[in-house]
Amino acid sequence: DEKVLQVWIVDVKTDSYLFSTGVTGDVDMEEKEWYRMALEQRKPVVSDPYLDSYSGQSVVSVVTPVFSGDGAQINGFMGLDVSMNSLSELLSEIKVGEKGYMELLSNSSVYIYSNDPTSINKNVDELDISEEYKKNVQDNYNGVYDFTYMGVGYTSIFRNSQTTSWLAIATLPLSEMNATRNHLMLLMAVLSILILCILIVVIVSIVRKMMRPLADISTNMEQFARGSLDVVPAAIWRQR
């Protein structure tokens, strides 16, 4: 599709390309990272970004070895190139919250994609970021890392791709991450207060209902003590 720049095969004996367009050319396989990876792993591999001499573009190659009939020998390779520009467009559609961003780094700690275009194709060592952050990238750290940049707190989740072993980093401002939790906590606090108020009203109502006969008796006894003889039978009648 439009994301694939070119498709090709490579013949080991002649060390030459045959592109799907019919164009041929020299490969110089020994200099290709994908050749060393596929030769060593003997399975489909994904290269780090590199400058393709034929298209003149920065590309990522997906390459699979082609084996002989008995599977013992590699006779050639089949591959396709994905333009880094197309890959960046695809990755830019991935949203991390409202103000968050995603980054993708190669096995050699080179930025394949970043929200900062000036970081793309640069090694993490070239950026003005903390040494701890750089170490996490270089060590292929998998987990959560909190940091501060230009006075703003962030949290990042580091994960390695099972297919390419590239490192994906999703970063979100702490304020945005905590916003949902704070909203939920506020909602729970308001609900708790409302429930407590309702319970107080119910308890007071029950207590008043239970105490009303005792209050009547107390009032009648006071009137009786002042000499009123009519209140006691009435009070006793109400109690019955």
Side-chain angles (χ1 to χ4, degrees):
D1 60 18
E2 66 276 6
K3 302 298 182 184
V4 176
L5 181 63
Q6 54 196 9
V7 181
W8 45 263
I9 59 173
V10 166
D11 176 53
V12 171
K13 291 182 179 179
T14 60
D15 193 14
S16 60
Y17 279 118
L18 172 59
F19 292 96
S20 54
T21 58
V23 176
T24 61
D26 296 332
V27 179
D28 195 8
M29 288 185 296
E30 297 291 340
E31 299 299 321
K32 303 295 185 183
E33 180 196 22
W34 56 258
Y35 170 74
R36 296 190 293 272
M37 293 172 64
L39 196 64
E40 178 183 346
Q41 300 181 31
R42 299 178 68 83
K43 65 179 183 179
V45 297
V46 181
S47 75
D48 281 355
Y50 67 95
L51 182 63
D52 177 58
S53 57
Y54 285 92
S55 65
Q57 296 188 37
S58 181
V59 301
V60 170
S61 293
V62 182
V63 184
T64 183
V66 179
F67 294 95
S68 58
D70 58 6
Q73 183 177 351
I74 296 178
N75 290 338
F77 300 90
M78 178 178 178
L80 58 87
D81 298 333
V82 179
S83 167
M84 287 299 299
N85 290 334
S86 296
L87 186 58
S88 294
E89 289 177 8
L90 180 65
L91 294 173
S92 66
E93 297 175 0
I94 301 175
K95 302 301 180 183
V96 182
E98 294 182 2
K99 298 181 180 179
Y101 57 90
M102 193 196 82
E103 295 175 306
L104 189 63
L105 293 97
S106 70
N107 295 319
S108 55
S109 300
V110 172
Y111 279 85
I112 297 172
Y113 174 76
S114 173
N115 66 314
D116 180 7
T118 62
S119 300
I120 297 177
N121 291 332
K122 287 186 178 180
N123 192 284
V124 68
D125 275 336
E126 302 177 52
L127 303 185
D128 184 20
I129 53 180
S130 70
E131 293 300 323
E132 186 176 4
Y133 192 95
K134 292 179 182 180
K135 187 176 186 304
N136 285 337
V137 170
Q138 294 164 345
D139 293 345
N140 283 326
Y141 170 70
N142 275 251
V144 178
Y145 174 68
D146 295 334
F147 66 98
T148 301
Y149 181 70
M150 298 184 67
V152 179
Y154 294 90
T155 185
S156 293
I157 299 177
F158 291 66
R159 287 291 184 271
N160 280 109
S161 166
Q162 294 182 353
T163 305
T164 63
S165 295
W166 291 348
L167 182 64
I169 306 175
T171 302
L172 196 66
L174 283 172
S175 57
E176 183 176 342
M177 188 186 72
N178 293 333
T180 302
R181 183 192 65 182
N182 293 340
H183 178 73
L184 182 60
M185 290 177 64
L186 178 61
L187 180 61
M188 291 178 64
V190 171
L191 288 175
S192 298
I193 293 173
L194 287 175
I195 292 173
L196 182 60
C197 291
I198 293 172
L199 285 175
I200 290 174
V201 170
V202 171
I203 291 172
V204 169
S205 177
I206 293 174
V207 169
R208 283 182 175 176
K209 186 176 180 180
M210 294 176 63
M211 295 298 293
R212 188 175 296 116
L214 296 177
D216 290 344
I217 292 174
S218 176
T219 301
N220 291 330
M221 291 301 293
E222 289 179 2
Q223 294 178 7
F224 178 71
R226 289 196 293 267
S228 177
L229 300 179
D230 297 330
V231 296
V232 175
I236 294 174
W237 175 260
R238 283 197 297 269
Q239 290 304 310
R240 290 178 180 178

